[in-house]
Amino acid sequence: MSGYDVIVIGGGHAGCEAAAASARAGARTLLLTHKRATLGEMSCNPAIGGVGKGHLVREIDAADGLMGRVADAAGIQFRILNRRKGPAVRGPRAQADRKLYRQAMRAALEATVNLEIREGSAEDLILSDGRVSGVVTAQGKALRAAAVVLTTGTFLKGLIHCGEVKIAAGRAVAGRSEFQGDGIEAPSIGLSDTLYGLGFVMGRLKTGTPPRLDGSTIDWASLEIQQGDDPPSPFSFLTRAITTPQIVCHITRTNEETHAVIRANLHRAPLYSGQIEGRGPRYCPSIEDKVVRFAHRSSHQIFLEPEGLGDDTIYPNGISTSLPQDVQIALLKTIPGLEKAKVRRPGYAIEYDFVDPRELLPSLETKRVPGLYLAGQINGTTGYEEAAAQGLMAGLNAARAAGGGDPVILDRASAYIGVLVDDLVTKGVSEPYRMFTSRAEYRLTLRADNADQRLTPAFDKAGLVGTERRAAFANKMERLNEARARMRALNLTPNEAQKQGIMVRLDGTRRTAVDLLALPDVDFSVLTSIWPELGGTAPDVAEQLEIDAQYAGYLDRQEADILAFRRDETLNLPGELDYSAVCGLSTEAAEKLTAIRPATLGQASRIDGVTPAALTLVLAHVKSARNAA
Ligand SMILES: Cc1cc2nc3c(=O)[nH]c(=O)nc-3n(C[C@H](O)[C@H](O)[C@H](O)COP(=O)(O)OP(=O)(O)OC[C@H]3O[C@@H](n4cnc5c(N)ncnc54)[C@H](O)[C@@H]3O)c2cc1C
């Protein structure tokens, strides 16, 4: 075929990762996006990662994806969240310089082999024999490809709300105060009509952002300071050290007076006046939503986060709002430190179309139109990391499909990416979906620290991993395996154990260095005081050995659970299975199974309303059909 193997539409977080993954996998790839200058634009919070989200970034990095390295280049404050809790729920997070992030993302994309970037707008899809075979641009030009990935974010029939003001837009432009002219990016109308026309089940969701403040008008001296980690921990397994200058953030709070201003103006809030139809993220509520839903709370925390090193615009994290501009100004005046703060751009909410992700296969290809893949906000998710993770998989699978290969599907026991995709395609969404560690059943295994050990070999096999990472990973594993073997061989002598006062806490047979390290109050420094030869262990290896030892007992048990889980995951269900012909299956279960068409018995078991009894019937039906064949 002339043209491209894969065309990716949209250069947001999903699109950048999709295009890069497709190109790394060897496909001739085109990234078509509105503006080169907005590649990797952070529409909302200038931050990457967090609990659950940071896990996704590390997994993307394990695939040699871009987000982790770009965040390392642009990060101006790094913190490991939940540091005092167990390693499984620790989440790396970085605040990023918005401009540096865009620049680093653009540079990474422009350096990617097999990838062409073009400015333009996709208005329609081209279909041949029911398959997608390209896109039509706003100029009417046809661009051909074997697979197309749509990552249009909040742009599908986007509608901005700020009080009574409603404007059709994909998002507002950073740094502009007006919601008109150059201050907004145009929505994507044609593609939305195309998707409706093809019969996709679609809906409306909404999200919001806070006002941006002029940092020179904030009374910093009165506010609590929040420091980053020193030294900062990078996202990427390849980054040796963070070299970007680091900043501090500040914290302030709303109070009863703020809440009174909000309550008095609720009738002007699009969320409550009925002006907004779409559902917003319950876990990331606007300040008006918080005041209504948590009426008993007299205060809500606000993190004042600089948008960049050379930019004194402040992002007040915690007061996302679509209240009218005059109310936003009035409520800011009640907040300590912000009494005189000038608003550079008002907060706003945005409503947009999304496609019910149950329209997708686990490869992120649509069931309705072969060759068409969707990733990011278009699938009902929220967040840069969720978007990037889907982009990675959609780009990889589109490239593999274009080359005649099988899709790569990560299951729930392999990766947060697997949890994310499985949740979306099996359960759909009723509100914007974001990642939490609580969504993962096997979170002791799916840690941020071991994402490379879990995933780099599989992604390498799929063709995504470059030579630098392959070599770095091999080197790390060699050092780690050597250290693990050494630890197992180091036994405490009874004398030494007694001297350390730990004999009583280790049973008679277990007294290797690994057993010792598993004790809650023993860290690597205790080991080096007993065995000086361990003193030369590299810090990354020592940290990994501590985590291994801490989780050893639990992981053995989790391993057994994972084996049981995978038994059902490998029982494939035929795509064309006629559920209405399954003897004894209720109409409700048959309808749900027909709508979702689970790929495996395991996926079927996670569909709401599909009981274990129903699964037994389906399995018996499939087995008898196979025996008869
Ligand atoms: C106002 C606002 C508030 C938000 N608040 C939050 C929040 O509180 N928490 C949170 O986690 N996330 C929030 N987000 C969401 C976050 O920005 C998205 O989740 C993330 O950016 C989604 O990435 P994406 O790649 O799917 O889409 P986007 O980042 O939106 O990128 C879409 C890209 O596609 C391009 N594009 C669109 N249509 C076309 C077309 N037809 N042809 C060519 N190019 C096209 C656009 O130019 C853009 O580059 C918010 C977003 C907005 C706009």
Side-chain angles (χ1 to χ4, degrees):
M1 174 192 270
S2 64
Y4 303 91
D5 296 321
V6 174
I7 298 178
V8 176
I9 305 300
H13 305 274
C16 290
E17 216 63 67
S22 166
R24 285 204 307 288
R28 287 166 303 148
T29 307
L30 172 69
L31 172 57
L32 181 71
T33 191
H34 286 141
K35 291 183 203 146
R36 204 176 266 265
T38 60
L39 285 169
E41 175 74 55
M42 299 172 133
S43 318
C44 188
N45 190 356
I48 295 291
V51 179
K53 288 168 173 274
H55 292 69
L56 287 172
V57 182
R58 285 270 169 89
E59 292 181 357
I60 293 165
D61 186 65
D64 225 358
L66 305 181
M67 183 170 251
R69 275 177 285 169
V70 168
D72 287 344
I76 53 177
Q77 190 194 72
F78 287 76
R79 288 173 58 225
I80 299 285
L81 306 185
N82 279 345
R83 191 179 275 284
R84 266 173 266 155
K85 296 193 183 163
V89 293
R90 281 181 206 155
R93 179 187 192 270
Q95 212 181 304
D97 178 306
R98 197 182 277 291
K99 190 167 152 207
L100 286 181
Y101 192 91
R102 277 197 313 265
Q103 286 172 347
M105 183 56 83
R106 181 169 166 177
L109 289 169
E110 288 177 347
T112 301
V113 179
N114 286 334
L115 177 60
E116 180 185 333
I117 304 168
R118 271 202 210 179
E119 289 191 339
S121 180
E123 291 299 308
D124 201 357
L125 296 172
I126 307 171
L127 267 62
S128 318
D129 300 329
R131 284 190 66 86
V132 78
S133 59
V135 301
V136 182
T137 68
Q139 285 72 37
K141 190 171 168 50
L143 299 167
R144 303 274 171 184
V148 172
V149 186
L150 293 185
T151 69
T152 47
T154 51
F155 283 67
L156 289 187
K157 297 222 171 97
L159 186 63
I160 281 181
H161 298 261
C162 181
E164 296 82 2
V165 177
K166 279 199 284 186
I167 291 152
R171 70 181 160 208
V173 171
R176 303 282 167 76
S177 60
E178 298 291 307
F179 289 131
Q180 51 186 313
D182 287 352
I184 52 167
E185 293 181 47
S188 194
I189 308 290
L191 269 187
S192 176
D193 288 341
T194 300
L195 294 171
Y196 270 109
L198 288 167
F200 280 98
V201 177
M202 295 173 69
R204 296 285 276 173
L205 289 173
K206 81 113 202 166
T207 186
T209 196
R212 304 301 195 271
L213 309 178
D214 175 347
S216 69
T217 60
I218 293 175
D219 177 13
W220 296 108
S222 64
L223 299 177
E224 186 186 327
I225 289 179
Q226 186 188 49
Q227 303 278 358
D229 292 346
D230 187 16
S233 307
F235 280 106
S236 175
F237 293 100
L238 287 187
T239 306
R240 290 288 141 254
I242 300 297
T243 51
T244 315
Q246 300 294 290
I247 51 107
V248 295
C249 294
H250 290 76
I251 300 176
T252 183
R253 287 173 181 78
T254 62
N255 50 47
E256 290 291 12
E257 206 188 331
T258 323
H259 300 182
V261 172
I262 293 170
R263 280 196 200 97
N265 288 284
L266 275 181
H267 60 287
R268 298 180 64 199
L271 202 58
Y272 290 97
S273 65
Q275 189 178 307
I276 289 185
E277 298 161 26
R279 291 206 47 181
R282 205 162 21 114
Y283 305 108
C284 196
S286 61
I287 187 62
E288 52 269 31
D289 216 7
K290 287 189 208 172
V291 167
V292 171
R293 278 174 41 206
F294 311 107
H296 57 284
R297 294 206 24 203
S298 57
S299 171
H300 295 281
Q301 214 167 33
I302 305 170
F303 296 92
L304 298 174
E305 302 177 336
E307 296 224 326
L309 292 173
D311 181 355
D312 68 354
T313 306
I314 299 298
Y315 177 94
N317 189 347
I319 51 168
S320 149
T321 182
S322 58
L323 281 159
Q325 198 167 344
D326 59 299
V327 181
Q328 296 187 28
I329 293 169
L331 77 86
L332 286 170
K333 285 192 194 313
T334 66
I335 299 173
L338 307 185
E339 296 88 344
K340 295 190 180 143
K342 285 220 164 70
V343 172
R344 285 205 169 140
R345 192 188 75 198
Y348 66 94
I350 185 159
E351 268 186 298
Y352 51 91
D353 288 347
F354 77 104
V355 175
D356 183 335
R358 286 171 296 189
E359 290 274 354
L360 303 170
L361 295 165
S363 60
L364 297 179
E365 184 179 19
T366 65
K367 297 171 187 167
R368 211 171 279 277
V369 180
L372 179 65
Y373 293 74
L374 309 182
Q377 199 101 357
I378 190 173
N379 288 341
T381 60
T382 177
Y384 311 134
E385 306 78 0
E386 289 81 352
Q390 293 168 69
L392 174 84
M393 299 311 294
L396 168 63
N397 285 330
R400 289 175 73 85
D406 289 333
V408 172
I409 292 159
L410 301 174
D411 71 22
R412 302 182 72 88
S414 310
Y416 273 86
I417 298 177
V419 174
L420 167 71
V421 171
D422 184 61
D423 279 348
L424 291 175
V425 305
T426 309
K427 299 202 161 103
V429 298
S430 54
E431 61 178 316
Y433 178 104
R434 65 162 288 191
M435 186 45 77
F436 296 106
T437 49
S438 57
R439 295 195 192 270
E441 297 85 345
Y442 308 111
R443 58 183 166 277
L444 296 186
T445 307
L446 307 186
R447 304 187 311 271
D449 66 84
N450 67 0
D452 56 343
Q453 294 170 61
R454 288 186 279 118
L455 298 170
T456 296
F459 281 128
D460 194 6
K461 210 165 136 213
L464 281 192
V465 174
T467 46
E468 186 191 353
R469 184 174 303 264
R470 187 176 307 119
F473 179 71
N475 174 282
K476 173 179 167 179
M477 291 315 294
E478 196 180 310
R479 289 184 297 126
L480 194 54
N481 288 334
E482 192 262 328
R484 281 173 175 154
R486 194 159 17 120
M487 291 274 290
R488 278 194 298 272
L490 286 172
N491 272 283
L492 276 182
T493 62
N495 268 354
E496 190 56 52
Q498 233 144 26
K499 203 167 87 195
Q500 297 298 322
I502 47 179
M503 188 63 175
V504 281
R505 293 163 48 220
L506 285 172
D507 67 41
T509 53
R510 296 189 312 112
R511 55 171 80 138
T512 67
V514 178
D515 300 325
L516 190 54
L517 199 52
L519 294 174
D521 52 347
V522 173
D523 64 15
F524 211 78
S525 65
V526 174
L527 299 198
T528 52
S529 71
I530 302 172
W531 294 288
E533 65 267 38
L534 289 178
T537 310
D540 61 332
V541 170
E543 188 191 27
Q544 197 63 67
L545 294 173
E546 281 185 359
I547 297 173
D548 285 355
Q550 202 175 331
Y551 278 121
Y554 304 104
L555 286 176
D556 286 347
R557 250 173 286 152
Q558 189 145 97
E559 194 54 36
D561 293 345
I562 290 174
L563 279 176
F565 157 80
R566 289 213 167 115
R567 270 197 292 275
D568 284 352
E569 290 310 297
T570 49
L571 285 170
N572 293 329
L573 297 176
E576 70 289 355
L577 203 151
D578 179 5
Y579 288 98
S580 66
V582 176
C583 223
L585 195 64
S586 72
T587 314
E588 188 206 351
E591 279 172 359
K592 287 189 165 161
L593 287 159
T594 306
I596 294 172
R597 301 217 150 273
T600 63
L601 195 72
Q603 191 191 351
S605 72
R606 294 187 290 279
I607 299 173
D608 288 335
V610 175
T611 60
L615 295 174
T616 311
L617 295 171
V618 171
L619 190 58
H621 180 88
V622 172
K623 277 188 181 157
S624 75
R626 271 190 199 136
N627 290 341

